[in-house]
Amino acid sequence: MNKMKKTTIFCFLSFIFISLSSGEINRYNRKIEFGVEAEGGFSNNYIKATDILVKDLVIDITELADDLYGKDFVVDFNAEAKTWFALNFSEKFRLNCFWGVDASGYSAISQSLFDLLCKGFEVNSNETIDIKMFGDVYALSGFTFKTKIKDYGLHLTPVLFTPLFHINETKATASYTSTEDGLIRAEAEIPLNVYSIVDLDGIEDNVKDSAFVQDMVSEIIKNTGFDFSAEIERPFGNSLDLGLFTRIPVVPGRLKYKAYKRYWGVFEQQNALGLLNETNSYTKEYGDDDAVYSKTTKTVHRPFILGLEGAWRPFGKWCTIQPKVNLAVRNPYSGEAEIYGEYSLEADLRILNIIGLKAVTAYENLIYKHSLGFMLNTRILEIDAGVQVRGADFERSFGVTGLAAYAGVKFGF
C-alpha cells in the first residue's frame, strides 16, 4: 500500500516537473472516424504447433521436465473487442469515445509435477506441487481527449470499467507420499473461486427472464469502477517524439457474488511390491463437490501502469519505430498485488500511407508476443489485420507455442 502511494505521488510529480513540449506519437488519417477491432489468442511456454501437427503425436515427459527445469508450465489466453468514434479536427482537439470488452487468463503448473511423472516416486518422500491461476473479464467505456497547450501535448483518458468475472490467484496443490513398506499415496485439490457481477446460481438454473436481465444491468451500473490515464509528449527535432504515460486506479469495481467449486482426486497404492505376485491393493477416487454460491463483495482494480514511449522517424513519415517500456502492478492496493515490467518495439512501414506493414515484438501481461500485420488505407476505409506467435518463454515463443489474430476496420473522412 505504501509502495503504491509513493508510486502515485511520483507519477503526479513527474507531470509537474518534467519539461516537455508537444508532439504526436500516433498517426491520424481521418477527421471523423468510426472503428471496430477484435483480437484473441492463447499460448503455452513449451508445446509448439510443429509438435502437435504430426501424424503420430508423442510428448516426451522426460524431455519436457528437463526443458522446464526451474520454470512453470504456463497456459494463457486473452480476448478483446472494442469500437470507437473519433473526432480529429486538429492537434488542439482530438476526441475518441470508445467501449468494449477485455478478457484474460493465466495458469501455471510447477515443474515438479513433470519430475514426478517421469521419475516416479522416491521412497520416504513427500512433496507439494503448486498450481496457480487467475483471470478477469471487464466491460469498458471511456474517452480520450488530446490537445496542445502552448508547447505541451496532453492526453487525458478517464475510463469506467465493470468487472464481470474475476478469478483471484488460486493455488491448487498436489502432493504425494511414499514409504519403505510399499505405501504410495497421491492427492490433488483445486479450490476454484469465481467472483461475478451477477449470481451464477441463476445462470446455471437457466433463469434468464426479464427480471434477471434488469438485475444484471442494475448491478453493472452500481458496481462500476473508475481509473484515469494521462500522457504528455514532446518532439525532439523533426524525427523523434517521446511521451510519459500512466494509468492510475481510482475507484475499484465491485463483484457481489462468489461461486466456489472444489475438484479433487486421491490415489493410494498398498504394498507396491505386491505387484509382482498380485498381492497388492489400490484405491482411487476423484470428482468434484457441488458448487457453493454466496453473496460476497470483491473489489477489483485494473493494473496501475507507469511508462515511457516514443516514435522515431529516421527516414520520414513512411517509417516509424515505436519503443515502449512500462512498470505495471496487477491488483494494486491489495494483498494480491504483483509488480512486473513490460516492453514493446514496433516498426510501422507505409507506402504513400496506402499500404502498410507492421512488425511488433513485445512482453505484455507476462507473455512474449511477436506480431506481423498488414494495413490497406483508401482514405475513407482502412483495414488492419495481423497474426501473432506468442508464449511465456522467449525462445520458444518464436516456435509457435501460441497463436493470436487481430482485425480492425476504420471508416470516415
Side-chain angles (χ1 to χ4, degrees):
M1 180 69 175
N2 291 333
K3 184 179 291 186
M4 280 301 305
K5 285 183 177 179
K6 291 179 181 178
T7 306
T8 303
I9 292 172
F10 168 75
C11 176
F12 279 116
L13 290 178
S14 297
F15 283 111
I16 294 173
F17 293 111
I18 291 181
S19 177
L20 298 171
S21 61
S22 74
E24 290 196 286
I25 291 176
N26 297 307
R27 187 190 304 266
Y28 304 95
N29 293 325
R30 281 159 286 279
K31 297 288 186 180
I32 299 176
E33 181 179 87
F34 298 87
V36 59
E37 63 184 12
E39 178 180 343
F42 65 93
S43 73
N44 73 99
N45 63 330
Y46 181 78
I47 301 174
K48 304 176 183 178
T50 52
D51 296 331
I52 299 175
L53 301 176
V54 295
K55 181 178 180 181
D56 300 311
L57 176 61
V58 177
I59 298 177
D60 190 330
I61 298 296
T62 302
E63 182 181 353
L64 190 154
D66 291 339
D67 290 345
L68 286 176
Y69 183 75
K71 303 177 183 178
D72 294 334
F73 179 68
V74 175
V75 178
D76 83 289
F77 81 92
N78 79 282
E80 58 181 299
K82 184 174 72 172
T83 186
W84 69 89
F85 168 66
L87 301 173
N88 299 309
F89 293 149
S90 70
E91 60 182 10
K92 291 277 189 179
F93 184 90
R94 302 195 188 281
L95 181 65
N96 185 324
C97 301
F98 60 87
W99 51 97
V101 178
D102 185 6
S104 62
Y106 181 98
S107 66
I109 305 172
S110 64
Q111 183 251 346
S112 53
L113 171 64
F114 304 100
D115 281 341
L116 172 62
L117 294 176
C118 69
K119 299 175 182 177
F121 297 95
E122 295 182 6
V123 177
N124 295 324
S125 62
N126 190 308
E127 186 170 347
T128 298
I129 300 166
D130 291 326
I131 305 171
K132 69 176 182 179
M133 60 187 73
F134 55 81
D136 290 286
V137 180
Y138 297 107
L140 309 169
S141 63
F143 67 87
T144 297
F145 176 68
K146 303 180 181 182
T147 189
K148 182 179 179 181
I149 302 175
K150 293 185 178 180
D151 293 330
Y152 291 80
L154 180 63
H155 305 182
L156 303 174
T157 307
V159 175
L160 296 173
F161 70 93
T162 302
L164 304 180
F165 297 96
H166 173 74
I167 300 176
N168 61 326
E169 186 167 309
T170 300
K171 289 195 174 180
T173 59
S175 61
Y176 70 89
T177 304
S178 177
T179 63
E180 292 180 348
D181 60 6
L183 170 66
I184 299 174
R185 179 180 175 85
E187 52 188 316
E189 179 184 58
I190 303 178
L192 189 61
N193 292 299
V194 179
Y195 296 88
S196 58
I197 193 71
V198 295
D199 191 352
L200 294 180
D201 191 19
I203 294 177
E204 187 172 274
D205 293 339
N206 293 318
V207 180
K208 300 184 181 72
D209 55 16
S210 59
F212 177 82
V213 174
Q214 291 175 5
D215 180 63
M216 181 175 64
V217 173
S218 174
E219 291 296 324
I220 289 175
I221 294 173
K222 289 189 298 183
N223 297 291
T224 294
F226 173 76
D227 55 44
F228 180 80
S229 298
E231 181 171 6
I232 300 176
E233 297 179 5
R234 174 189 179 178
F236 290 83
N238 296 322
S239 62
L240 179 64
D241 296 287
L242 294 178
L244 169 69
F245 63 90
T246 186
R247 179 205 287 164
I248 302 173
V250 181
V251 179
R254 288 177 170 79
L255 300 124
K256 291 295 187 70
Y257 299 92
K258 183 176 80 169
Y260 170 80
K261 193 172 183 68
R262 186 176 75 103
Y263 298 87
W264 55 271
V266 178
F267 169 84
E268 186 171 292
Q269 173 79 60
Q270 298 284 352
N271 186 24
L273 296 177
L275 288 168
L276 300 175
N277 55 17
E278 298 183 351
T279 61
N280 70 305
S281 63
Y282 72 90
T283 58
K284 62 178 179 180
E285 295 181 82
Y286 57 89
D288 58 271
D289 299 337
D290 292 337
V292 177
Y293 301 96
S294 60
K295 195 168 184 177
T296 304
T297 299
K298 176 71 174 178
T299 59
V300 177
H301 283 285
R302 292 203 304 159
F304 167 86
I305 297 175
L306 177 66
L308 294 168
E309 68 174 339
W312 180 41
R313 301 177 177 93
F315 310 111
K317 293 184 178 181
W318 68 272
C319 174
T320 304
I321 309 297
Q322 291 188 246
K324 180 170 69 173
V325 293
N326 63 264
L327 178 72
V329 182
R330 179 185 288 108
N331 298 319
Y333 315 125
S334 75
E336 303 172 32
E338 179 181 3
I339 302 175
Y340 55 96
E342 297 181 322
Y343 70 82
S344 174
L345 181 61
E346 175 182 314
D348 189 344
L349 309 177
R350 304 208 173 188
I351 300 176
L352 301 177
N353 201 26
I354 297 175
I355 298 175
L357 185 67
K358 181 186 294 186
V360 185
T361 181
Y363 180 69
E364 298 173 336
N365 202 23
L366 307 179
I367 300 298
Y368 295 97
K369 305 175 181 180
H370 316 289
S371 306
L372 185 63
F374 173 80
M375 181 276 295
L376 177 63
N377 178 26
T378 64
R379 175 62 177 172
I380 294 177
L381 178 68
E382 180 178 332
I383 299 174
D384 294 271
V387 294
Q388 179 185 99
V389 294
R390 52 190 281 163
D393 180 88
F394 177 76
E395 182 179 354
R396 287 185 171 272
S397 63
F398 290 96
V400 195
T401 54
L403 287 170
Y406 68 88
V409 177
K410 308 170 187 177
F411 58 93
F413 55 91

